[in-house]
Amino acid sequence: MTKLTYSSIENPNLTSWVWIAPAKNTAKTNQQGYSSKKRFDLLQPLRQMLERVEVRDRELAHRLCEMIPSQCPFEQDVKLFGRTLFHIPPMCKLNPLYEEVVALRFRALCYLADECGEDVSCYC
């Protein structure tokens, strides 16, 4: 163990790193300042249902890839005479089930590519 003396304070040498955990708060807040206590989520059963869908059928996988777009169809630039007037942002991210739907499309693409050996470039 290193002895702490006046000379070691003047000429400090880093000998090890120590992690000091922050004090735990009982009511944590997220970036928006809202409490992160468990809330009732009405869409949770629907989210779980979408996550449990297993893609094991070629026709289902093709149907999912055709129905779920690879890019948000609402995002676009409004141009006049070659100049961009304004940009309409993607509205899909406002969908509360966006992550689950995109994950379902990804699972369908992976099934077609890995299990069926099909070329999925037409869906990208």
Side-chain angles (χ1 to χ4, degrees):
M1 179 175 271
T2 308
K3 194 174 191 182
L4 185 62
T5 62
Y6 180 74
S7 62
S8 65
I9 294 173
E10 283 183 356
N11 302 318
N13 292 328
L14 183 62
T15 57
S16 66
W17 288 95
V18 177
W19 172 259
I20 300 174
K24 293 183 179 182
N25 292 339
T26 56
K28 295 181 182 179
T29 57
N30 58 16
Q31 292 175 348
Q32 289 82 17
Y34 298 113
S35 177
S36 63
K37 293 180 182 177
K38 291 186 178 186
R39 294 184 219 143
F40 182 70
D41 187 9
L42 291 173
L43 297 175
Q44 189 61 29
L46 197 54
R47 282 190 180 99
Q48 290 174 346
M49 183 190 76
L50 287 172
E51 290 174 358
R52 284 193 304 257
V53 172
E54 291 187 26
V55 182
R56 297 286 174 221
D57 181 32
R58 182 179 298 214
E59 290 178 25
L60 173 65
H62 280 290
R63 207 171 315 124
L64 288 172
C65 291
E66 289 171 0
M67 289 174 48
I68 302 170
S70 61
Q71 295 177 338
C72 186
F74 303 113
E75 180 181 21
Q76 58 184 320
D77 290 325
V78 177
K79 295 183 178 187
L80 181 64
F81 303 116
R83 302 187 95 189
T84 303
L85 296 178
F86 57 92
H87 174 76
I88 299 173
M91 304 302 276
C92 295
K93 296 200 176 173
L94 297 176
N95 180 355
L97 300 173
Y98 175 77
E99 296 293 327
E100 289 77 14
V101 171
V102 169
L104 180 60
R105 183 179 195 276
F106 181 73
R107 288 196 306 269
L109 285 171
C110 289
Y111 175 77
L112 288 173
D114 297 340
E115 303 293 326
C116 300
E118 293 188 22
D119 181 28
V120 294
S121 61
C122 62
Y123 294 119
C124 297

